[in-house]
Amino acid sequence: MKKTKIVEEQPKFKSGFITMVGRSNSGKSTLLNTLIGTKLSAVTHKPQTTRDIIHGALNTVQGQAVFIDTPGILKEKHNPLAGKLTERAQEALKEIDEILYVVDPTKALGAEERFILSILRKLDTPKILVINKSDLPDKEKRFLEDYRQISDEFNATFELSALENRHIQPLKDKVFELLPYGEQMYEGDQITNIGKNHWIAEIIREKILLALRKEVPYTVHVEVRNIEEKTDIIVIEAVILTSDSRYKKMIIGANGRSIKEIGIAARKELQTALNKKIFLELEVETDRHWEERA
């Protein structure tokens, strides 16, 4: 009797790139960190904290979804950095598989939303509307209904809290449902396109923005100059660049108080993330041309 060979069909693998767009401070970076389960992108309450295109790969039994965090859209005149970051966000919409449009219901549909929607309406890419900050009281979400009214322009709409990790799983399920079948893009333990130096620099820059609040505008850039990993400690040398000497004084603070506060906060987070003792050496320099390299 002839035996029948049974061939087990391998499950199909879904994969693709999902670009996250939205106005500044809508919560895209917080959402990226929550979706991936680790901190990749700096998060503050200040507009345009994100300056670079940051990838975060989510691996599940269904496949791999690579989320792309982009700089927030900020329609501000006479701001070269804002214009450059907006161009980066637009560029990230090319040749991708899905779009997450992240909105903040505490803010009215303004020039930024109209600009983003004008771009999205021209694209055939599957689009998901993410109404963030559902954890806030109803009285603060004054424009929630306005965003709900544009939901028919999207393949799906989700109301969630990226900060509190609420209602995230339904969004993940829909993302994978809309993704095409493909190949794995990030292999092994790699989940992002940014290296350790960049990631450490982002942590430090985040602490600068949080510590100095409104005193220093977006004149700050951080470069990690050297990392030395020893048996029981990691030694990190970094420089904080600012475009004006008066901001340098603010960053250092009276008797070095501000720079010390920044260093303590950054070191604490790095030690938790890397599970190792950190020695962090910070210097502050004036460089009027750092924006040209950003």
Side-chain angles (χ1 to χ4, degrees):
M1 184 175 178
K2 189 176 180 180
K3 292 183 179 179
T4 304
K5 187 177 181 181
I6 299 174
V7 179
E8 292 186 6
E9 185 178 343
Q10 294 296 318
K12 292 183 178 179
F13 190 90
K14 286 202 162 189
S15 68
F17 291 97
I18 304 98
T19 291
M20 303 164 66
V21 295
R23 73 191 295 173
S24 282
N25 210 25
S26 61
K28 298 185 303 301
S29 296
T30 303
L31 181 57
L32 173 73
N33 295 338
T34 300
L35 286 165
I36 306 307
T38 190
K39 187 168 185 177
L40 297 175
S41 203
V43 177
T44 77
H45 293 297
K46 296 181 182 294
Q48 294 205 308
T49 297
T50 301
R51 290 177 180 165
D52 300 290
I53 303 299
I54 298 175
H55 292 189
L58 172 64
N59 296 299
T60 74
V61 293
Q62 297 163 286
Q64 184 180 81
V66 179
F67 294 92
I68 305 173
D69 189 15
T70 62
I73 303 296
L74 185 64
K75 300 298 288 179
E76 217 176 78
K77 295 181 179 179
H78 312 302
N79 186 332
L81 182 59
K84 185 182 289 188
L85 299 185
T86 297
E87 286 178 13
R88 287 181 186 172
Q90 289 181 262
E91 188 67 24
L93 288 169
K94 296 179 180 179
E95 299 181 4
I96 47 98
D97 301 288
E98 290 180 39
I99 297 167
L100 296 189
Y101 176 30
V102 185
V103 300
D104 178 355
T106 69
K107 296 178 181 176
L109 278 82
E112 288 88 358
E113 270 75 30
R114 289 192 292 272
F115 177 67
I116 295 167
L117 286 169
S118 70
I119 296 172
L120 298 186
R121 285 167 180 152
K122 299 172 185 176
L123 302 175
D124 294 328
T125 310
K127 296 178 277 286
I128 297 175
L129 176 63
V130 177
I131 303 177
N132 193 20
K133 306 187 180 181
S134 66
D135 55 297
L136 296 178
D138 290 341
K139 62 181 181 180
E140 292 186 32
K141 298 180 290 187
R142 294 186 297 145
F143 305 100
L144 178 58
E145 286 303 322
D146 294 341
Y147 289 104
R148 285 174 173 170
Q149 288 179 17
I150 64 171
S151 62
D152 58 353
E153 298 186 40
F154 296 82
N155 295 76
T157 298
F158 294 92
E159 297 180 21
L160 53 79
S161 170
L163 182 64
E164 299 290 337
N165 196 6
R166 294 181 188 171
H167 310 300
I168 299 296
Q169 189 57 48
L171 171 62
K172 291 181 180 179
D173 293 339
K174 191 64 178 181
V175 164
F176 277 102
E177 179 187 321
L178 295 174
L179 280 180
Y181 294 107
E183 301 295 326
Q184 189 173 15
M185 291 160 288
Y186 282 92
E187 298 180 352
D189 296 332
Q190 186 180 3
I191 60 169
T192 185
N193 61 324
I194 61 173
K196 182 180 284 189
N197 284 36
H198 188 155
W199 174 73
I200 291 172
E202 283 293 279
I203 295 294
I204 297 169
R205 188 169 65 88
E206 176 189 89
K207 303 313 175 190
I208 295 167
L209 292 174
L210 291 172
L212 298 174
R213 300 177 182 84
K214 296 180 180 180
E215 291 178 336
V216 179
Y218 299 90
T219 66
V220 174
H221 179 65
V222 178
E223 292 180 1
V224 174
R225 296 282 171 85
N226 187 54
I227 300 176
E228 185 180 357
E229 298 199 28
K230 299 182 179 181
T231 305
D232 57 347
I233 194 171
I234 301 175
V235 179
I236 300 170
E237 297 175 15
V239 60
I240 300 168
L241 303 174
T242 184
S243 57
D244 196 307
S245 57
R246 62 191 170 123
Y247 297 133
K248 177 180 177 179
K249 293 179 182 178
M250 291 180 183
I251 295 167
I252 295 172
N255 300 316
R257 186 170 58 188
S258 292
I259 192 69
K260 183 178 180 181
E261 179 184 340
I262 292 162
I264 291 171
R267 188 171 66 249
K268 183 178 179 181
E269 180 157 337
L270 289 169
Q271 285 181 165
T272 300
L274 299 174
N275 196 28
K276 205 166 186 179
K277 189 176 180 181
I278 301 292
F279 177 81
L280 178 60
E281 181 180 330
L282 293 177
E283 293 185 5
V284 186
E285 297 178 3
T286 302
D287 182 348
R288 299 182 186 279
H289 305 288
W290 74 260
E291 285 189 7
E292 297 170 12
R293 305 193 304 273

